[in-house]
Amino acid sequence: MRHQPASAVDKSAFIERLNAIVGPRHVITSEVGTRRYRKGFRFGDGPVVAVVRPGSLVEQWRVLKACIESDRIVITQAANTGLTGGSTPDGDDYDREIVIVSTLRLNRLQVIDEGRQVICLPGATLDQLEKRLAPLGREPHSVIGSSCLGASVFGGVCNNSGGSLVKRGPAYTELSIHARLDEDGQLRLVNHLGVELDRNGEEDAEAILFRLEHGQYTAADIAHSDAAASDPDYIDHVREIDAETPARFNADPRRLHEAAGSAGKLMVFALRLDTFPQEQGTQVFYLGTNDTRSLTELRRRLLAEAETLPIAAEYMHREAFDIAEQYGKDTFLTIRALGTGRLPRFFALKNRFDGFCDRLKLPANMSDRLLQRLSQCFPSHLPRRLTEYRDRFEHHLMLKVSGESVESTRALLGEHFERHEGGGFEGDGFEGGGFEGECFECTADEGAKAFLHRFAAAGAAVRYRIMHRDTVEDIVALDIALKRSERDWFETLPEDVEKPLVKKLYYGHFLCHVLHQDYIVAKGTDCLALEHRMWELLDARGAEYPAEHNVGHLYQAKPALAGFYRELDPCNAFNPGIGQTSKCRHWGEAAAGAG
């Protein structure tokens, strides 16, 4: 099937065709109605001709055909929780109209191989998958809170998200069923799911997708080959503490394969993924120190010596702690009250309210302003021992380990910290290995709140910007992967870079050496120039960026990644402009920053 020039299909006829496929209720064209889909969580916005919400894989395929045949751009979107604008338009300088295909209605999954694997459809969320696997004693690659609450399974795989779990690496699979547009404009459905869905070898795409969605296959139809459904090497890869390269980053060629890392340059219909045994008897240790060397050497010891790696090791700097405590409080309280499963509906209501306020010409981000003021009416939400450590220590580390590792971790931490005005474990009287700091073992409630507080930091900078528009120009948000050998991980900025910064928020996945660094920048600063200056500093350190949030429209795709995108999408019909590449048909040079 070859696409026709845009002039061949008039807009009203195109909308009517979409209405016929999914029903008028699921074709959104108004500016207010499309707002939540075309505006990114942090960055990104632009006009769209429509947002379409298919309710089946067959409808999704038909919508895609309609877009390709009318020469329109397709942006496939799930939860729209990304931090770099990678699943929304970016401005109005595209050479074709844009259609967003929202897959949230396709929130179904199929458990196979007695729960050891799952097949997920495009709208399945991590929360949904986690709950489905729990009765089976299994869990997904990532758990809620790894970066952005409410995230989808597809978002993790297609954007190379790494998550917080130390042993599992970036979300990855080589098993998918997807559509791609060949160089000659032929739209093809590619079944690399490892499930036989074409009974006679001649069935069309709709028949294959219908059979998949309705589970019309048997165990005998499922192939078990060498194709990976998770990263099989990461657990050893991350332990190489003297390697001069990062453990994981977005453009790592070793983990770019079809859907994995595709960033919307294919339309993916299903992914097949490994699941993992639930961790039992977990314990959270909360550490504080004023000496970065203490955490540096602890990281190296844990990776080199621990027989079983920790489940998670989340770092948080004091300033990030403070900003999250004040500006992430409503996020924390909302999740505690509603749980993660209701977050998508909450965010949808929030967007509708903001759209209504926009029509009334009220100040922007009215929902955030109201939620911020409301949150201050509630008492302190953090456990006393956490706030005491905030007062005493600049650097914080939350270490979560499985039951089998509690004793060995307790012993290692006792050896690591010296007796320094109550150092080591609280009140243990231990004289130890010479590193300043303290730690304590969290109760279950303290541990849950500590990790939730850490993950609330991801949106706290955005809230701060909203509440201080008179003094803040914008946020420069960096998502970096340091070399595994890096010892000087906590940066010292030159004076010219430091001067315009109002706040610096440092937090991240410490054992993986992945840090999120959000800089709140003073009014009147050229943020783009400042960011490029920061990139120079990161390049000099041998860091890679972004580490796990997709290049989106904030970062420039490096040559290997840009080449991967061109290979997947030679016509540049899917999510063009990603990674600051060309926004034009066939990767033309008319758009700035063409790849």
Side-chain angles (χ1 to χ4, degrees), residues 351-366:
N351 268 283
R352 286 196 195 111
F353 178 80
D354 281 336
F356 175 75
C357 292
D358 286 348
R359 280 186 290 171
L360 296 179
K361 307 300 183 184
L362 294 173
N365 306 114
M366 184 58 73

Side-chain angles (χ1 to χ4, degrees), residues 222-280:
I222 301 173
H224 295 277
S225 65
D226 293 334
S230 61
D231 188 335
D233 307 319
Y234 189 77
I235 196 166
D236 298 318
H237 187 69
V238 73
R239 285 185 181 268
E240 296 173 6
I241 57 176
D242 293 316
E244 292 294 300
T245 56
R248 55 179 168 91
F249 57 98
N250 191 272
D252 187 351
R254 63 187 283 275
R255 287 296 170 255
L256 296 175
H257 182 88
E258 294 183 339
S262 60
K265 301 302 288 183
L266 300 170
M267 179 171 276
V268 186
F269 292 86
L271 296 173
R272 180 173 160 189
L273 298 158
D274 288 332
T275 70
F276 303 85
Q278 280 181 344
E279 301 280 6
Q280 302 296 322

